[in-house]
Amino acid sequence: MTKVVLAYSGGLDTSVSIVWLREKYDAEVYTVTLDVGQDGDFETIGERAEKLGAVEHFFIDAKEEFVKDYVFPSIKANGLYGGKYPLSSALSRPLIARKLVEVADKVGADAVAHGCTGRGNDQVRIEVTVKALNPELKVLAPVREWGLDRESELEYARKHGIPFTREKLYSVDQNLWGRSIECGPLENPDMEPPEGVFKWTVSPEKAPDKPEYVTIGFEDGVPVSLDGERMDGVTLIKTLNMIAGRNGVGRIDHIEDRVVGIKTREVYECPAALCILEAHKDLEKLVLTPRQLRFKETVDREWGVLVYSGLWCEPLKEDLETFIENTQRFVKGWVRLKLYKGSMLVVSRMSEYSLYSKEMATYSVEGKFDQSAAPGFIEIWGLPSRLAWRVCKRTGR
Ligand code: ARG
């Protein structure tokens, strides 16, 4: 008999998976639900798992670990895939994989299972990480294997007494770092998302008529306070999701290149993530040199692509993190944001490591910048380009 540890969200797909694994593989099914800040009714989810025949259900509050070990590194790396997506779902998958492996170890399972389809990134993220952590484990993907369409799945659920609500237009994935919404009407990228898909943000039109300011304090590249009040990462992100969300800040709608080659239209709500990333980037601009910043952009982009593509355990990611980490010791200070009807602007910032010098930057006569050095600098700075330009002109190449 196979012992399987299933990542269980409590939704229809993974509920059907419990029964399907028992029927098809004669499996003894253990279920695991992680709390990564998705606000679910975890007691009901556990009861449902056991009612559907799970031998044992494991509930793991992973919020703190998620923030510390997954979200914080992403903030330091300015993690935004395609320049837009804060990687919210992508960051949770390697953590889910890790927990599946841990529970499998605890109960002596020979396989783990997840409810991802064969079209997405999540299957890649979970499976690559599981296999890296424990190559002995088999991975089962019921939803990918069973080839059921929605109607047949509902029929199967009805037959096996699996509870479901009929009207589920969208596929939603949530955690502290964001909410992703897919399917249904959103599959038409030429149509604006219906207002009903949004839960964490009011529409900018309905946001308050007065701007709201929020100041984010950073230490070692991660947020540690809001408006001067120190708080742990989980509380800070939750609070900021609320503040930004009520001002209509946090909506994302873009075209995304999945790792399996498909282009999709993705809609997200990531109020806290967008604010923190914007503030973090601004603070970096204050404290890092232009050369550090330019190189870091390349490193950050590469880091984001690795994480998006499911390669959390790729050694290159750790190499990049060593560089990133070294830069973050200067990322200390605060950034003030102005939130107003869907817009978010950095309006001021401060750091004890600031490289900004008013004496140098000022246009006034007291300035310390020696303008008489400029002509010589320009002469030498442009020399290689000027010479090359003339060769092009002369040769017509
Ligand atoms: N496109 C996003 C990503 O690849 C969102 C995935 C959401 N997952 C889900 N099961 N609905 O990270």
Side-chain angles (χ1 to χ4, degrees):
M1 185 185 248
T2 328
K3 268 194 191 182
V4 185
V5 178
L6 169 71
Y8 183 62
S9 70
L12 179 64
D13 283 349
T14 50
S15 293
V16 170
S17 296
I18 299 179
V19 179
W20 194 83
L21 286 167
R22 290 176 50 221
E23 276 199 336
K24 166 113 197 249
Y25 290 94
D26 187 27
E28 201 170 88
V29 181
Y30 295 79
T31 45
V32 183
T33 303
L34 263 63
D35 177 2
V36 279
Q38 70 271 46
D39 29 81
D41 176 356
F42 297 112
E43 213 167 298
T44 311
I45 291 175
E47 284 163 14
R48 186 177 308 153
E50 280 166 6
K51 220 187 281 154
L52 294 173
V55 183
E56 193 177 350
H57 177 73
F58 293 83
F59 168 74
I60 303 169
D61 179 352
K63 292 194 289 291
E64 221 182 288
E65 192 174 346
F66 178 55
V67 167
K68 214 165 67 42
D69 297 342
Y70 298 82
V71 173
F72 278 2
S74 195
I75 294 171
K76 295 177 185 178
N78 297 310
L80 271 186
Y81 181 71
K84 286 265 198 172
Y85 166 43
L87 298 169
S88 41
S89 297
L91 289 166
S92 72
R93 295 319 190 242
L95 173 59
I96 293 170
R98 174 172 287 277
K99 294 300 166 197
L100 287 176
V101 172
E102 282 172 16
V103 173
D105 188 47
K106 187 175 334 183
V107 303
D110 43 354
V112 298
H114 60 72
C116 309
T117 71
R119 297 188 191 89
N121 299 313
D122 291 331
Q123 52 170 347
V124 182
R125 295 166 180 154
I126 292 180
E127 292 183 34
V128 170
T129 307
V130 164
K131 286 183 191 289
L133 296 177
N134 184 351
E136 307 282 292
L137 281 172
K138 275 195 301 239
V139 184
L140 303 171
V143 176
R144 190 173 63 195
E145 276 174 50
W146 69 37
L148 293 181
D149 60 24
R150 183 81 183 160
E151 271 319 306
S152 335
E153 187 182 3
L154 292 179
E155 187 49 45
Y156 188 94
R158 229 172 270 128
K159 214 173 89 200
H160 293 87
I162 301 166
F164 62 86
T165 43
R166 176 122 199 125
E167 275 324 306
K168 196 181 152 267
L169 268 179
Y170 305 103
S171 157
V172 175
D173 182 55
Q174 272 179 203
N175 61 52
L176 284 166
W177 206 228
R179 184 166 177 270
S180 86
I181 315 116
E182 296 171 329
C183 300
L186 298 177
E187 287 176 358
N188 302 314
D190 54 346
M191 309 248 291
E192 183 173 350
E195 192 50 38
V197 308
F198 298 109
K199 291 273 175 304
W200 290 6
T201 54
V202 302
S203 87
E205 294 93 320
K206 297 218 173 96
D209 285 320
K210 266 195 12 215
E212 187 170 0
Y213 290 85
V214 63
T215 303
I216 308 177
F218 287 88
E219 272 171 30
D220 293 319
V222 299
V224 293
S225 68
L226 285 184
D227 294 327
E229 189 188 331
R230 277 192 90 87
M231 47 185 96
D232 65 277
V234 174
T235 312
L236 189 148
I237 292 168
K238 273 192 186 165
T239 310
L240 195 51
N241 270 331
M242 252 164 43
I243 297 175
R246 68 179 171 227
N247 287 285
V249 169
R251 297 184 176 185
I252 300 159
D253 178 346
H254 83 149
I255 301 294
E256 196 166 294
D257 281 299
R258 285 193 187 159
V259 60
V260 294
I262 304 172
K263 271 194 196 293
T264 54
R265 188 276 190 94
E266 299 286 333
V267 175
Y268 302 100
E269 291 183 283
C270 306
L274 290 187
C275 290
I276 291 171
L277 291 169
E278 185 71 10
H280 179 264
K281 251 185 287 175
D282 186 83
L283 193 54
E284 281 191 337
K285 288 185 182 179
L286 190 64
V287 301
L288 299 181
T289 69
R291 295 167 184 123
Q292 284 177 304
L293 285 170
R294 196 170 63 209
F295 188 69
K296 188 165 183 294
E297 257 184 44
T298 309
V299 172
D300 288 348
R301 192 174 325 110
E302 193 59 36
W303 188 93
V305 171
L306 290 175
V307 170
Y308 182 84
S309 327
L311 302 177
W312 186 262
C313 50
E314 158 66 48
L316 174 61
K317 186 179 131 292
E318 262 182 54
D319 300 340
L320 301 176
E321 282 167 356
T322 305
F323 165 80
I324 292 170
E325 198 56 49
N326 201 49
T327 61
Q328 296 302 294
R329 65 195 196 278
F330 302 110
V331 185
K332 181 176 182 205
W334 56 258
V335 177
R336 195 164 163 75
L337 299 173
K338 180 178 184 172
L339 313 170
Y340 180 59
K341 285 193 172 294
S343 88
M344 179 244 304
L345 289 175
V346 173
V347 291
S348 52
R349 73 287 283 157
M350 173 85 96
S351 169
E352 64 187 91
Y353 301 116
S354 171
L355 302 179
Y356 174 84
S357 155
K358 184 153 184 238
E359 267 182 357
M360 285 294 161
T362 183
Y363 279 67
S364 77
V365 285
E366 292 92 62
K368 287 274 180 338
F369 185 86
D370 178 7
Q371 296 191 60
S372 70
F377 164 74
I378 294 166
E379 189 63 26
I380 294 171
W381 172 248
L383 182 62
S385 307
R386 272 189 349 251
L387 290 176
W389 176 262
R390 253 182 278 151
V391 171
C392 292
K393 284 281 144 198
R394 181 162 48 74
T395 59
R397 297 246 132 200

